[in-house]
Amino acid sequence: MALPDLFVARFREIHPDAAETLLATFEGRRRVSFRINPLVAETPQVLRELEQLAVPVEPVAWYPYAYTADIRFRDALTRSDLFASGAIYIQSLSSMLAPLALDPKPGETVLDLTAAPGGKSLMMAAMMENRGWLSVVEPGKERFFRLKANLERGGVTIARHYMTDGRSVGAKCPAMFDRVLLDAPCSTEAKFRSDEPKSYAYWSERKIREMAKLQHRLIRSAIKSLKPGGTLLYATCSFAPEENEAVVDKALKSFDDLFVEPIDLPIPNCRPGLLSWRKRGFDPSLAKTVRILPTTEMDGFYLARLRKKS
């Protein structure tokens, strides 16, 4: 396997009982997944147009707007009028689980703290039926304008766009939001492909430590921005415990009004969060967080749902 030896060794340490089966999913290509956007189009109309494009799709059992297709149809989807009009959005299945776990409601105030390129923001706006307030934050200029364009094309009318550092939002907007999504910048380990050296070219344990430092500051900001009784969904596409359970564990120790809520996911490829990593033990409630295991259709992911006491 062409993946970095240190990454493989760490992966085997994290998932000792199923490492070889899971590592095999980093070879080859996963099916392309996409979501129909109900803010722009109705499902029967989209399916008719896909049939006319000769793109066979399969529904995803656990989310009515989600579909998959063979990877060879990815270009046909991205070049289609459906994509250009915002009627469909190419998005990994794992990524769709984060908004579902946060469960934003119409009329609520919601924050997407690291929002670009906007897939999760777009999905949350649809779940909110374009009713309420959705603040989307992205510090990088190019990514910010890409985010803004994606939401506008997707028919989102409740978004307020802010080109600012997410680490500052908690101080600027204390106790403002009912729900916050923090899909944190990470080492992107779940996106590694054994036949794409560039996918892991910049990975190292030093990179993990750098990302964890940023994640600690972002989650503090997210927690401060929550109203009493509010909900935070913390997510990464990393397998590293330093970026996942360790970040949440430190947040629990720093905020005594915070607790972990269970996440009920309608998929079989998940297991509880780790309760220890090497010589460090974590809060027992971390067992309520979820590790999404990689499959031939789904990237790995980590999800933690936190609630601020009323």
Side-chain angles (χ1 to χ4, degrees):
M1 178 169 287
L3 295 170
D5 290 343
L6 181 57
F7 168 76
V8 173
R10 284 173 53 92
F11 193 92
R12 287 173 173 150
E13 191 175 353
I14 294 167
H15 295 296
D17 58 332
E20 303 314 311
T21 299
L22 298 177
L23 285 167
T25 67
F26 290 89
E27 302 174 13
R29 296 288 181 176
R30 292 183 172 88
R31 289 173 63 84
V32 60
S33 54
F34 65 94
R35 187 173 44 77
I36 295 174
N37 178 11
L39 298 179
V40 171
E42 296 183 355
T43 298
Q45 167 201 342
V46 172
L47 294 179
R48 282 195 299 270
E49 293 193 36
L50 289 170
E51 188 174 357
Q52 292 169 3
L53 290 171
V55 177
V57 300
E58 294 183 6
V60 174
W62 45 266
Y63 187 54
Y65 295 110
Y67 291 80
T68 67
D70 190 277
I71 190 64
R72 70 180 186 274
F73 293 108
R74 182 182 180 90
D75 286 347
L77 290 170
T78 56
R79 294 171 182 167
S80 69
D81 291 339
L82 289 169
F83 183 81
S85 67
I88 64 171
Y89 188 88
I90 309 296
Q91 187 174 11
S92 74
L93 295 179
S94 301
S95 179
M96 297 180 201
L97 291 171
L100 292 177
L102 182 59
D103 195 24
K105 305 294 186 184
E108 291 184 330
T109 54
V110 178
L111 168 65
D112 191 343
L113 194 58
T114 51
K120 297 180 187 68
S121 297
L122 181 58
M123 185 171 169
M124 290 194 294
M127 295 171 72
M128 296 167 70
E129 300 171 1
N130 255 343
R131 292 189 283 133
W133 179 286
L134 177 61
S135 291
V136 296
V137 173
E138 172 58 40
K141 185 176 181 180
E142 184 176 338
R143 287 171 58 83
F144 172 81
F145 284 106
R146 182 184 174 197
L147 162 69
K148 194 169 185 289
N150 281 338
L151 296 188
E152 289 172 353
R153 184 172 62 250
V156 177
T157 59
I158 59 171
R160 303 296 184 271
H161 313 84
Y162 302 96
M163 188 164 57
T164 190
D165 191 324
R167 290 171 289 188
S168 68
V169 173
K172 294 175 181 175
C173 307
M176 182 176 290
F177 296 97
D178 297 302
R179 298 180 198 259
V180 176
L181 175 63
L182 173 54
D183 183 10
C186 70
S187 59
T188 64
E189 293 178 337
K191 298 185 183 299
F192 290 0
R193 294 294 176 266
S194 60
D195 60 345
E196 287 187 17
K198 66 179 182 181
S199 68
Y200 50 80
Y202 301 103
W203 179 88
S204 66
E205 287 194 315
R206 179 180 179 181
K207 179 73 170 179
I208 290 173
R209 291 191 294 270
E210 290 174 354
M211 289 294 98
K213 185 176 180 180
L214 173 61
Q215 291 153 358
H216 285 303
R217 295 185 65 184
L218 283 169
I219 200 171
R220 289 183 65 87
S221 178
I223 294 164
K224 290 177 181 178
S225 73
L226 272 182
K227 293 178 181 178
T231 301
L232 164 65
L233 198 286
Y234 177 79
T236 80
C237 58
S238 172
F239 300 104
E242 298 93 329
E243 300 182 69
N244 296 329
E245 291 90 350
V247 173
V248 178
D249 183 71
K250 186 173 180 178
L252 293 172
K253 289 179 168 62
S254 301
F255 295 87
D256 57 10
D257 60 345
L258 199 68
F259 62 96
V260 182
E261 288 190 324
I263 301 174
D264 185 19
L265 295 179
I267 58 173
N269 55 305
C270 57
R271 60 176 51 178
L274 303 180
L275 294 184
S276 64
W277 172 242
R278 295 178 172 169
K279 295 182 179 180
R280 178 177 175 181
F282 300 132
D283 189 291
S285 66
L286 270 286
K288 298 177 184 177
T289 67
V290 176
R291 283 179 165 262
I292 310 299
L293 304 181
T295 69
T296 54
E297 288 196 347
M298 190 176 291
D299 294 332
F301 223 65
Y302 176 76
L303 299 171
R305 182 178 159 116
L306 306 173
R307 175 71 68 89
K308 183 180 282 189
K309 294 177 182 177
S310 299

